[in-house]
Structure formats: C-alpha cells, structure tokens
Amino acid sequence: MGVFKQLESFSTGESLPLSQVLAELPWNPDGLLPAIAQQFDTGEVLMMAWMNAESLGETLRTGRVCYWSRSRQALWRKGESSGQVQKLSELRFDCDGDTILLKVDQTGPACHTGRRDCFYNRVSDDRVVVDKAVQIDPEELYRK
Amino acid sequence: MGVFKQLESFSTGESLPLSQVLAELPWNPDGLLPAIAQQFDTGEVLMMAWMNAESLGETLRTGRVCYWSRSRQALWRKGESSGQVQKLSELRFDCDGDTILLKVDQTGPACHTGRRDCFYNRVSDDRVVVDKAVQIDPEELYRK
C-alpha cells in the first residue's frame, strides 16, 4: 500500500518517516508538484508555484522557500532578486500527496507586480476587477 | 497586450469584461487550471483540484463549485456523492491567470477521507505526522 493510503487511515499523531513519503511523491510528468503559499498567521493565500524534488529538499533543509521556475527552468529562491523572501513556517502534503501547502512568513509583496499577493483579479458579475493595490513599484523591487 | 498584462497595470477598481478574460485563460495542455479552495471566513485552505472551461463556467453560473475530475475524466460537482458541497463566495485569478482561487463555504469535510481539509500531513523534522482527525467516516459520507 502506498504511503498516502497508509496516512489516510492514521489517527492524529501517527506518523511515517519523511524519507519514505518523499520517495513516493507523485510528481507530474515534468517532475513537479504545485505548491500553495499561505501567510502563516493571517491565512492569506499569497501565490501558487511549482516545486521539483530539488527545490522541495532545499526548502526543507534551509527553511527558506525555493520553487522551480518553469519559465526559467531553474531553481527559484523566492526573493533572490526582489528581496521578498518566504520563511517556511510549516509544510504539508494533501491527502494524495500531489499538492504542497507552505505556511510561510512573507516579507513584503509576494507578487511580482508589487502587490501583497497574486490573487488581485476578482470576478464581479460580468467584470474582472483589480481590487488590491501595488505596495512597492516593481521597478523598485527588482532594482535591488 | 494580453489581458493579464493589462490587469497588472490597473489601479484598484479598474476592470475588464469577464468574457475577455475567460477567452484568454492560459489553460494547460490538458485544458485545465489548478483551483485552490479556501474557506471564505476562516481562511483555511481546504483542497486543490482542477477546472476546465466547462466546470469554471458552471461554477460561475450556478454559484456551486464544480471541478474537473482527472481520474474520472468527468465534471465533478463537489459534494454530488458526499453531500459536502462548496458554495462559491468569490472567484479570483492570479497575476498571470494560471491559478484560480475559490473562496467557498464548505459544508462539513472537504476531504474524501472525512477530514475538514486535505492538508493533514504535516512535516515535522524527519517525520510526516497526521494532525487532523476524521470528522465523518468516509463510509458514512459516501453512503448518502
């Protein structure tokens, strides 16, 4: 039986070795899993990005969130160019292991537009409305 | 210029027609986008699933969340077999339009295991610990 099936039947407090779980993660054909970043104290959903085995390993080892950039095809240490890092507070896998939830402490804006989070496009009837303001001009953010 | 690039530069309150945004969503090669469901009032991240154009359209039209089940290759009206529906409170697209955030009101457990949410597998040092209890026995849940 796979690890996630085993975990399903566990009572609270029961556990398996992390190495065993990592060995059975159901990576997609590109070797990636989606990772949701949530601000640990306020509960805001900040962004969604992707991790490969290496970025997940680095995140767990260093406590600083590292993704895999699909556009750049490279490790993406969040904040490396903007200074807006994510400190890992907690890392969770969902019931079938194909999604990661990162509880993080986000310095400043998570979004490359300079907004606090990426989900500023809200559907309102037959319109899509921008309802969050830019906190730091992206030109400022990426000049650092 | 694409709609998401346009929205990026908007001030709060500015908007585009929903139809225009829907027409330019960057569906993945399978015609899907990941959708994060978050309990609208408490901020809990409940689950992550996938939507195609049809399930997104139905969700917006009915106010009840409908996903695309990749395993069943069919529309998945959340709660159709368990009774644990998700009422849509708000729908958002992220900065590049490739992730959907659903703020929902979840009836009972969101997870097929009978737990409130799917993210009950927490990494704790070198272990993965189940830290959320089953609220309703899945056998009960799917007998309805």
Side-chain angles (χ1 to χ4, degrees):
Chain A
M1 188 165 54
V3 287
F4 288 99
K5 270 284 162 205
Q6 284 180 64
L7 288 161
E8 241 183 59
S9 64
F10 279 11
S11 300
T12 56
E14 291 191 283
S15 67
L16 284 177
L18 174 60
S19 56
Q20 199 180 328
V21 173
L22 293 178
E24 288 190 34
L25 287 175
W27 304 102
N28 78 7
D30 295 324
L32 303 176
L33 286 179
I36 303 162
Q38 182 183 33
Q39 174 65 27
F40 82 100
D41 49 1
T42 62
E44 301 160 87
V45 176
L46 298 168
M47 59 180 283
M48 211 281 283
W50 297 81
M51 285 188 160
N52 64 0
E54 193 180 351
S55 62
L56 173 59
E58 175 170 320
T59 298
L60 287 170
R61 200 171 59 248
T62 64
R64 193 178 137 183
V65 178
C66 175
Y67 299 103
W68 177 256
S69 166
R70 295 179 304 171
S71 55
R72 291 187 288 115
Q73 289 285 302
L75 289 177
W76 165 27
R77 294 177 183 95
K78 178 70 183 160
E80 62 193 344
S81 53
S82 67
Q84 312 298 303
V85 301
Q86 294 181 339
K87 196 181 150 211
L88 186 69
S89 157
E90 206 175 86
L91 191 145
R92 293 173 174 273
F93 299 106
D94 76 349
C95 50
D96 51 10
D98 66 3
T99 306
I100 298 168
L101 178 61
L102 307 163
K103 302 215 177 185
V104 303
D105 194 7
Q106 168 74 52
T107 304
C111 186
H112 77 286
T113 64
R115 294 178 177 86
R116 172 67 176 171
D117 69 73
C118 297
F119 296 96
Y120 54 81
N121 297 307
R122 180 170 53 84
V123 175
S124 177
D125 299 316
D126 61 349
R127 308 286 297 178
V128 173
V129 186
V130 170
D131 71 353
K132 296 179 185 181
V134 170
Q135 295 184 333
I136 303 180
D137 187 312
E139 289 202 14
E140 180 92 9
L141 216 49
Y142 294 98
R143 205 169 47 200
K144 285 173 191 165
Chain B
M1 187 165 55
V3 286
F4 288 99
K5 270 284 161 205
Q6 285 181 63
L7 289 162
E8 239 181 63
S9 64
F10 279 11
S11 301
T12 57
E14 291 190 281
S15 67
L16 284 177
L18 174 61
S19 56
Q20 200 181 328
V21 174
L22 293 179
E24 287 191 34
L25 287 176
W27 303 103
N28 77 9
D30 295 325
L32 304 176
L33 287 178
I36 303 163
Q38 181 182 33
Q39 174 65 27
F40 81 100
D41 50 359
T42 62
E44 301 160 87
V45 176
L46 299 167
M47 58 182 284
M48 210 282 284
W50 297 81
M51 286 188 157
N52 64 0
E54 192 181 353
S55 62
L56 173 59
E58 175 171 319
T59 298
L60 287 169
R61 201 170 58 247
T62 64
R64 193 178 137 182
V65 178
C66 177
Y67 299 102
W68 176 257
S69 167
R70 294 179 303 170
S71 54
R72 291 188 288 112
Q73 288 286 303
L75 288 177
W76 165 27
R77 295 179 182 93
K78 178 71 183 159
E80 64 193 341
S81 53
S82 67
Q84 312 298 302
V85 301
Q86 294 180 341
K87 196 179 150 215
L88 186 68
S89 156
E90 206 175 88
L91 192 144
R92 294 173 175 273
F93 299 106
D94 75 350
C95 49
D96 51 9
D98 67 4
T99 305
I100 299 168
L101 178 62
L102 308 162
K103 302 218 177 185
V104 304
D105 193 7
Q106 168 73 53
T107 304
C111 185
H112 78 287
T113 64
R115 294 177 177 86
R116 172 68 176 169
D117 69 72
C118 297
F119 295 96
Y120 54 80
N121 297 307
R122 179 169 53 83
V123 176
S124 177
D125 298 317
D126 61 349
R127 309 285 300 177
V128 173
V129 186
V130 170
D131 71 352
K132 295 179 186 181
V134 170
Q135 294 184 334
I136 302 179
D137 186 313
E139 288 202 13
E140 179 93 6
L141 216 49
Y142 293 98
R143 205 168 49 201
K144 284 174 193 166

